[in-house]
Amino acid sequence: MSLSHVVIAPMLVALVTAIVTLLTRSRPTLQGGLSLLGVVGYAVAVAVLVGDVLSETVLTYQLSNWAAPFGITLVADALSAFMLVLAAVVSLAALAFSVIYVNSYGQRVSYHPLFHFMLVGVTGSFLTGDIFNLFVWFEVMLMPSYVFVVFYSGKAHTSAALKYTVLNLIGSAVMLVAIGGLYSTTGTLNMADMTRRLLAAEEYGIDPAPVLGLAALLFAVFALKAGIVPFQFWVPEAYSAAPAPITAVLAGVTKKVGVYAIIRLYFTVFAAATLPEGLGLPGLSGTSFLAFFGPVMFLMALGSIFLGGFGAVSRPDLDGVFAYSSIGQVGFIVLPLAVGATVPAVRSLAIVAALVYSLNHAIAKSLLFLVSGTVDDAVGAITFDDIGGLTGEMPVLSAGFFVGSLALIGIPPLTGFFGKLLVFQVASDATIAGGNGATLALAAALAGAILTIAYLSRAWKEGFWGETTGAVEGATATPGLVAVVVGLATLLVVVGVGFDPVYQVANAAADAALARTDYVRAVGLEVSS
Amino acid sequence: MQPNQTVLLAVLALPFLGAAVTPLVYRALGERTAYFAAAIAGGCLLLIASQASTHGSVTLPWIPSLGVSLSLYVDGLALLIGFLASGVGVLIFTYSGGYMHDEPGQMKYYATLQAFMGSMLGVAFAADLVALFLFWELTSVASFLLIGHYRSEESSKYAARKSMLITVAGGLFMLIGFLVLHGVAADAIGTATFRLVGSENSMLAHADEIQEALRSAGLLVPVLLLIGIGAAAKSAQVPLHIWLPNAMEAPTPVSAFLHSATMVKAGVYLVGRFRPLLLTDEWMILFATLGLVTMTVTAMLAIAASDIKELLAYSTASHLGLIVAGYGLSNVYGAETGAFHIVNHALFKAALFLVAGIVAHEAGTRAIDELGGLRHDLPVTAAVTVVAALGMAGVPPFNGFYSKELLFEATYEVALHDGGVWWLLPVVAVFGSVFTFLYSIRFLMLFFGEKPHELGEVHSPPAIMLAPPVVLGVLAGVVGLGGVTSTFGVHLTPLTDFVTRVVESSVAHGGGHEIHFGYHLPTKLKPAVVMSAITIGVGLVAYPFFDHLRDGVRTLRSVPLLSPNFYYDTGTEALDETEFVTTHLQTGLLRTYATALVLAVSAMTLGAYAAAGANLPAFTGVGLALPLVLVLLVAIVGAFAVTGAPSHVAGVLTLSILGFMVAIFYILASAPDLALTQLVVETLVLVLFLLVLDKLPAFYGEPSRLRSARDGLVSVVVGATVFTTVLLSTKATPNDVIAEFLAKRAGVPSEHGTYLLDWGGGGNIVNVILVDFRAFDTMGEISVVAMAALSVVTILAMRERGEVQ
C-alpha cells in the first residue's frame, strides 16, 4: 500500500482554478488567463499521475489519513488513468475554444468557475473508491451542467434545462436509494471493501440476492448519465441548448463517466458476487451478476444504436445529427460490454473495445460539436436549409468535419477504426466461442455502422457540399476556433497511426478493471481466501 | 529474390507525399500540377518495375500488441495491380492535364487522385488483412470525394453518397469476414493472425487447416458471404452494382482510373487473392453464379444505356463479373480467365473511357443517340476505338477474345466434369457474351455511319489527351497480336510469363502441376471456339434489332421491383425522412420522459430482485408504538390528498403535511437533529413554493380519466419498487458494518474512551463523520451549494444578455 499525494493533484488543481476564477470575476482577462492556465495545469497533473500509475500500477490516497474502509479512498489505476486522459484532452480543447467562442459577459458571470467545478466532479468520479463519494462527485458534475444547459436562457434552453434537470434529479434520488440499500445490505461504502465482502458473501453475512436488485437500481443512474436507451430522453435537447464547447464536454467526457462507472462497479465490484442458486428468470442463466447485466446491457445497446441511428439520419441540423449520433455511439460502447459480460472469454477484450471506442467518441464527437459551434459562430445557423457549400468558404473547417466523420464511421487509420475493429472483434470472437446472442450483436453493430455512414454522409452532402447559400456566402470561420478543430482532427490521426501505446494502456485498464483482488489489496484491505 | 523493403515503402509513400505537397505545388505550377502527379505515378511505376523479378514479403511492425503489421507482399497478382495503378496513373494524370483545363477544384482533385493511387498500391501489396482493409477503405473515401467533385450538382452528391454507402458498408462486411478468419486461425494454426500471405504463419500457408476449421465451426459459408459482399460492393457485382453508373458523375479521367481500371478491380483482386485459401464447392457456387449473373445482367443494362459513360459503366460491371466468374470456377482455366482478363479489361476499358472523354469534350454531348460518324473528325480516336471495342466484344484477334475463350473453356470443363445444372454455366456465359458483343458494336458505331446534323463541329483533341488512349490502344493491340503470332510459334513471352505468375497467385499451393499460361488463336474446333462462334454469330444476327432489344431491356428495367435502385432509393428516402423517433419517442414532453424513466428503473430493479430470487420478509404484525402508527397514517393520508389537490397552492400545502409528519416521525424515533433539519427544509421549501406559485398561472389542468389511471399505475409500480427495496435493504444483517466501528468509538457512553476526540477532534459522532471521516463528501456538497448560488446569479444575469452570443 502506497500513499500517493499525486492522486489528488488533478482534483486540487481544478478546484483551486474554480475558486480563483470565481474570485477574479472583476478582471475578465486575468480570469480567462487563469482559467486556461488551470486547465493546462490539470492536464499536467493528469500526465504526472498517469505516468506514475503506468509505472506503479495502482495508487491510492486515503483522505484525512483514515484507513479504508472508514474514510474515503481515492484510487488511481490504469482504468481511471485512461479516463482522466480522455477528460484532460477534451477539456483542454473545449476551454481553449470557449475563451474565443463564449461571449465575454457570459464568461465573466460564471462560465469559468462552473467549467472547472464540472471538471472537479468528473475527476472525482474517475478517482473515487467510495460509492457515496461517487454520488457527491456526480452532483458536483451535474450542478454546473444544469446551469450550462440553461446558459443562454432562451425559451428552448429553459425548456431543455427543465427536462434535463428533472430527469437527473430523479436519477439522483434513485442513486441515493440504491447507495443506501447497498450500504445496509453489504455493510460498507468503500468499493474495495464491498468487493472483498461480495467475494466472501457468506463470511460477511451478506445475502447477494437483494444486492443484485440494488445494483440494477444503481445501473439506471449510470445509464442515465451515459444517455443509454431508455434513459436517453434528455440528450438531444440538452446538447442543442448548451454552448458548443460545453456540449463537447457533455458528449465527450461526462457521458463517459457513466461508462466508467459501469465498468468499475459492474466488472470490478459487483462481478465479485455470485448467486448460489443462479438466475431464475426465463432467458437468464448463470450465477454471476454479469449474467444478469449482460442481457440488460445488450437490449440497451441495441435500443441505443438504432434509436440514435434512425434519429440522427433525419435531423434537420448539425447539432441534432450529432446529439442523436451520441446516443447511437454510446450503444456501440455498451454493446461489447454486454457481450463481454455474457461471454467471459472475451471480457477483457470487451473492456478494451469499450474504452477505445469511448476515446474515439470523446475526441471525434467533441470535434464535431466544435465544428457546429464554429459554423454557428460564422454563419449564424446550423440547419441544413441555411447552410450549404461550406467546403468552398471554409475548406479547413470542412476538412476537420470530414476527418471527425470518418473517425466516427471507423475509417482507418483514424482512432475510430480501432474502436470499430475491436467492437466487431469482440462480437466475432464471441461468435466463434459460441456465445449467446453474439451473432446478433455482430449484426447489430454492422447495421449500426451502416446507419452511421448514412447520417454522416447526409450531413456532409447537405451542409458542406451543395450550392453555397446566402448565409454562407462570404462568411469566414474564426481562425482560433478552426485551430482547435484542426488540433482534435490531428489527434484522431495521430492516435490512430500510433495506436500501439494506446492499445497497451487500454489493455492495462481492462486488466485493472478485472484484477479485483489487486484492487482490494491496493486499497489496503485483506482478501479472505 | 526478396523484394526490397525501402523500395516498396517508397512506392506507398510517394503518392501520399505527393498528395501532401500538392497544395504547394499547385500554387507554383497551377494546372501543370498534372505533370507533377504524372511524374509521381511514373516514379512509382519504375520502382515497382525494379521489383518485378522479386517474390516474397517485407514486414514492418505497426501495432504489435494487436498482431497487426504493415507487411507487404510481392507476387504476380500484386505486381499486376501495382502496374495498373501506377501505369494507368501516369496516363490518367497526363490526360487530366488536358481534360481538366479550366475546371474548378483542381488542387483538391490532384491531391485526392494521388492519395487514391497510393491507397490502391497499398491494396495491391498489403499482406496483412488490417493493412489491406486500411487501404481498401481509403480508396472508397477517395472515390467518394472524386465522385462529388462537382459538389453543387445534386446528381454528384447523390452518386457520391451512394458509392460511399455501398462500398464502405461492403467493406465492413468484409472486415467482419477478416475478423472471423482471424479468430478461426487461432484454432487452426495456433495463433490468431491477420497475416494473409507471405509468411510461415500466414493463412495461405495453412489453407487446408483454415478451411477445415471454418467448415467444422459452420463458418465457411458465412465467411464466403462476408468477403463476397465486400468484393461485390467494390467491384459492382449485381445487385450492388448500382453505384457504378452514378459514379460517372465524376470527371471522366476519374471514371477511367478508379471506376474502370483500378479501384473496382480491388474486389476482383480480393477474390483472386482469397481463391487459394477458400476454394471449395461453396466457393464455386457463390462466385461463379455471382460473376455470371453480373456479367449477363449488366451487359443487358449496358444495351439500355443512353449515355456513353453509362454504357461503359455497365460494361465495366459486366467484365468484372466475367473476372469474378473466372476466379469462381475451380479449374485452372478459371484462374487464367481472371488473371488475363484483368489485364485485357484494364487496357481496352481505360482506352474507351478516355475515348468517351474526348468525345464528350469535343462533341459536347454524351448521348448515344446524338452521336455518329465521328471517324471523319476524330480519326485517331476512331482507330483506338476499333481495337478497344472489338477487344471488349471478344472478336478475334483482339485481346478480349482470348480471355473470353478461357472463360468458355473453364465453364465447359466444369459442366463436363460436374454435369447437371452446371451446364447452365456455359449457356449463361454465351448468353451474356452476346449482349457484350452487341453493346461493343454499338459503341463502335459512334464513329461510323452518318454524322447527325445537329452535331456541330467536332475538333480534334489536344495531343496530351490523345496520347494516353493511343498508348492503351497500342498495348491492347499488341496483346491481341501476341495471340496471332503465337499461333505461328512466336510467343509474347514477357506477357505470358507474367500472366503465369499472376495465375499462380490464385492457385492453391501444392496443387501439383506447374502452370504455363499461353494463348493463341484457335487451331482446332474446340467447344470454346464453337461458343465464341455462336456469340459472334448471334450477335451479328441480332444487331439490326438493337433498338428493339434496347427498348425491351428498358421496359424490364423500369419495373420498380426488379430494380435494385428502387430499393436503394426507397430505403434511403425512408431513412432520411424517418420521423418515428421524434414523433413517438423524443416527444419533447417531460411527462413521457419521466414516465419512461421511472418505469425502466422499476422494471430493471424488480426484474433483478425476481431473477435473483430475493425473498421479502414475512409480515409479522405492526411492532410500532401507537403514536408512530398514527403519524405515519396521517402522512399517508396527506400523500393521497396531494393527488386530489384542486390548485398548486393546495397541493403544496398538502404535501407539507407529509413533510412535517416525517419530522415528527424523526422526533419519535429519537433523532432530534434530523427532525430539526427536516423542519427547516420543509418550512423553507414551503415558503419558496408559495412565493413562486404566486407568479404562476392558477390553471391546474384537468387530466383525463385514462391519463389519471395510467399515472396511478405508474406511481404504484414506482412505490412497489421503492417499498421492496426498503424492505430488502432493512432486512439485511451483514457483519462488521462500518457503523459498528464508529459507534464503538463514539464519545457516548464514556467507556468508549476518547478515540474520536483524539483522532477526529470532536465528541459528536455525526459531526466527526461529516467534517473528518467524510470531510471530502462535505467539501463536495459545499461546492454544490456554492454552485447553486452561482447558478441563480447566472440565470438572472443571462436572462437579459444571454440571447446575444
Side-chain angles (χ1 to χ4, degrees), chain B residues 564-586:
Chain B
N565 267 319
F566 168 75
Y567 296 100
Y568 174 84
D569 292 336
T570 321
T572 44
E573 270 167 35
L575 206 53
D576 289 350
E577 285 158 20
T578 326
E579 292 295 338
F580 180 79
V581 172
T582 38
T583 50
H584 288 82
L585 301 169
Q586 300 287 148

Side-chain angles (χ1 to χ4, degrees), chain B residues 583-718:
Chain B
T583 50
H584 288 82
L585 301 169
Q586 300 287 148
T587 54
L589 296 175
L590 182 53
R591 167 185 290 272
T592 320
Y593 297 178
T595 307
L597 173 65
V598 293
L599 283 182
V601 169
S602 303
M604 215 158 68
T605 312
L606 293 176
Y609 288 136
N615 292 316
L616 289 174
F619 182 69
T620 53
V622 180
L624 297 174
L626 189 63
L628 265 181
V629 174
L630 284 176
V631 164
L632 292 177
L633 278 178
V634 174
I636 291 172
V637 171
F640 272 104
V642 173
T643 62
S647 70
H648 291 303
V649 176
V652 168
L653 286 174
T654 326
L655 191 62
S656 73
I657 298 178
L658 180 66
F660 283 108
M661 286 306 126
V662 172
I664 298 172
F665 169 81
Y666 286 144
I667 296 170
L668 293 174
S670 318
D673 49 349
L674 280 182
L676 276 174
T677 316
Q678 175 74 16
L679 283 170
V680 172
V681 170
E682 202 55 47
T683 315
L684 273 176
V685 167
L686 182 63
V687 171
L688 279 175
F689 262 136
L690 290 176
L691 286 174
V692 173
L693 289 180
D694 190 41
K695 305 278 179 202
L696 287 185
F699 175 70
Y700 209 62
E702 289 291 331
S704 67
R705 272 175 189 279
L706 189 69
R707 182 180 278 178
S708 302
R710 195 193 65 186
D711 290 357
L713 195 68
V714 171
S715 64
V716 167
V717 172
V718 174

Side-chain angles (χ1 to χ4, degrees), chain A residues 11 15 22 63-64 66 69-72 74 101 103 105-106 109-110 114 117 130 132-133 136-137 140 143-144 147 150-154 157 163 166-167 170 177 181 183-189 197 203-205 209-210 212-214 216-217 219-220 230-233 236-237 275 278-281 292 296 300 307 310-311 313-315 324 389 391-392 402 406 409 411-413 417-418 421 424-425 428 432 442 446 449-451 453-454 457-458 460-461 465-467 497 499-500 503-504, chain B residues 62-66 130 133-134 137-138 141 144-145 148-149 151-152 154 156-158 160-161 164-165 168-169 172-173 175-176 179-180 182-184 187 194 219 226 575-579 581-582 585-586 588-590 592-594 596-598 600-601 604-605 607-614 721-722 725 728-739 741 755 759-760 772-777 779-781 783-784 786-788 790-791 793-795 797-799 801-805:
Chain A
M11 290 190 78
L15 185 66
L22 189 58
L63 281 134
S64 314
W66 288 108
F70 306 108
I72 291 171
L74 296 186
Y101 177 79
N103 63 20
Y105 181 75
V109 169
S110 61
L114 289 173
F117 270 127
D130 185 290
F132 185 80
N133 194 234
V136 172
W137 299 126
V140 172
M143 194 66 221
V147 188
V150 76
F151 196 71
Y152 289 133
S153 301
H157 312 109
K163 289 162 208 162
V166 168
L167 293 182
I170 297 177
V177 171
Y183 173 70
S184 57
T185 47
T186 63
T188 189
L189 291 170
R197 284 164 184 255
E203 191 183 325
Y204 288 97
L212 178 67
L214 292 160
L217 190 60
F219 192 88
F231 303 101
Q232 84 297 343
F233 292 103
E237 281 179 72
L275 292 158
L279 291 166
L281 276 188
F292 175 81
V296 169
M300 290 178 154
L307 187 146
F310 284 116
V313 83
S314 55
R315 288 309 85 217
Y324 278 95
T391 47
F402 196 63
L406 293 186
I409 291 173
I411 299 290
F417 163 67
F418 294 100
L421 178 79
F424 283 156
Q425 194 179 342
S428 99
I432 294 170
L442 203 51
L446 185 58
I450 294 172
L451 277 174
I453 306 171
S457 60
R458 174 172 166 271
W460 174 260
K461 95 179 167 73
W465 276 345
E467 297 282 354
V497 172
F499 183 67
D500 200 56
Y503 177 82
Q504 287 181 16
Chain B
W62 181 19
I63 312 163
S65 325
L66 270 177
V130 173
F133 182 77
L134 157 73
E137 292 295 72
L138 288 181
V141 172
F144 172 76
L145 289 174
H149 183 78
R151 61 175 173 81
S152 6
E154 202 52 49
S156 295
K157 296 190 320 189
Y158 169 83
R161 185 184 188 210
M164 175 100 158
L165 263 172
V168 176
L172 292 174
F173 280 88
L175 179 65
I176 294 178
L179 283 167
V180 174
H182 170 81
V184 165
D187 298 331
F194 281 114
L219 289 168
L226 288 165
L575 206 53
D576 289 350
E577 285 158 20
T578 326
E579 292 295 338
V581 172
T582 38
L585 301 169
Q586 300 287 148
L589 296 175
L590 182 53
T592 320
Y593 297 178
L597 173 65
V598 293
V601 169
M604 215 158 68
T605 312
Y609 288 136
T721 307
V722 177
T725 301
L728 287 171
S729 303
T730 47
K731 185 187 82 161
T733 50
N735 310 331
D736 296 332
V737 291
I738 294 179
F741 170 89
Y755 182 90
W759 297 99
D772 196 329
F773 282 97
R774 303 200 67 97
F776 205 40
D777 286 342
M779 188 193 77
E781 292 298 351
S783 314
V784 173
M787 280 187 281
L790 202 52
S791 61
V793 173
T794 311
I795 291 168
M798 294 298 284
R799 191 177 51 170
R801 315 271 303 258
E803 284 293 273
V804 197
Q805 245 189 68

Side-chain angles (χ1 to χ4, degrees), chain B residues 86-420:
Chain B
S86 54
V88 178
V90 174
L91 300 176
I92 294 295
F93 283 123
T94 313
Y95 183 85
S96 296
Y99 186 90
M100 295 301 286
H101 178 59
D102 281 343
E103 291 280 325
Q106 292 199 32
M107 184 177 85
K108 197 181 61 192
Y109 170 86
Y110 287 114
T112 316
L113 214 49
Q114 287 176 76
F116 163 76
M117 187 176 74
S119 315
M120 196 61 214
L121 291 168
V123 170
F125 291 106
D128 180 287
L129 290 179
V130 173
L132 172 63
F133 182 77
L134 157 73
F135 293 116
W136 178 282
E137 292 295 72
L138 288 181
T139 61
S140 293
V141 172
S143 166
F144 172 76
L145 289 174
L146 289 165
I147 295 172
H149 183 78
Y150 302 109
R151 61 175 173 81
S152 6
E153 304 289 332
E154 202 52 49
S155 51
S156 295
K157 296 190 320 189
Y158 169 83
R161 185 184 188 210
K162 194 175 188 179
S163 82
M164 175 100 158
L165 263 172
I166 295 179
T167 57
V168 176
L172 292 174
F173 280 88
M174 182 183 84
L175 179 65
I176 294 178
F178 288 177
L179 283 167
V180 174
L181 280 173
H182 170 81
V184 165
D187 298 331
I189 58 179
T191 45
T193 180
F194 281 114
R195 188 67 184 264
L196 178 62
V197 62
S199 85
E200 283 179 10
N201 279 328
S202 71
M203 294 180 186
L204 271 174
H206 299 267
D208 295 341
E209 291 97 313
I210 299 243
Q211 261 181 37
E212 197 43 51
L214 281 173
R215 200 181 281 286
S216 64
L219 289 168
L220 180 65
V221 175
V223 164
L224 284 176
L225 286 174
L226 288 165
I227 292 180
I229 289 172
K234 199 81 161 179
S235 283
Q237 301 294 289
V238 169
L240 303 177
H241 65 283
I242 50 171
W243 66 270
L244 190 58
N246 292 107
M248 298 301 129
E249 293 296 333
T252 301
V254 172
S255 309
F257 193 24
L258 276 73
H259 305 128
S260 163
T262 58
M263 186 187 97
V264 289
K265 293 280 166 41
V268 296
Y269 164 81
L270 191 79
V271 176
R273 186 53 92 199
F274 273 88
R275 189 173 182 270
L277 180 66
L278 298 171
L279 185 58
T280 49
D281 289 346
E282 292 88 340
W283 169 281
M284 186 154 89
I285 294 171
L286 176 66
F287 286 106
T289 315
L290 177 70
L292 285 174
V293 167
T294 302
M295 173 179 151
T296 307
V297 170
T298 49
M300 291 169 78
L301 288 167
I303 287 188
S306 52
D307 172 303
I308 49 176
K309 279 182 79 180
E310 186 193 357
L311 183 149
L312 291 177
Y314 279 119
S315 152
T316 300
S318 174
H319 284 275
L320 293 167
L322 192 161
I323 298 168
V324 168
Y327 279 133
L329 298 168
S330 59
N331 54 42
V332 73
Y333 297 122
E336 290 182 349
T337 309
F340 197 34
H341 205 64
I342 292 180
V343 178
N344 289 330
H345 178 250
L347 293 178
F348 68 64
K349 189 56 61 65
L352 290 175
F353 264 111
L354 299 185
V355 165
I358 291 174
V359 170
H361 223 253
E362 307 305 334
T365 176
R366 298 196 324 227
I368 292 173
D369 290 343
E370 294 171 14
L371 291 163
L374 292 168
R375 71 181 186 283
H376 305 294
D377 297 318
L378 304 169
V380 183
T381 316
V384 171
T385 310
V386 169
V387 174
L390 291 179
M392 178 160 81
V395 173
F398 296 96
N399 65 347
F401 167 73
Y402 305 101
S403 34
K404 186 157 279 181
E405 280 281 287
L406 284 168
L407 175 77
F408 287 156
E409 194 142 358
T411 53
Y412 182 77
E413 287 286 319
V414 169
L416 199 61
H417 188 265
D418 295 337

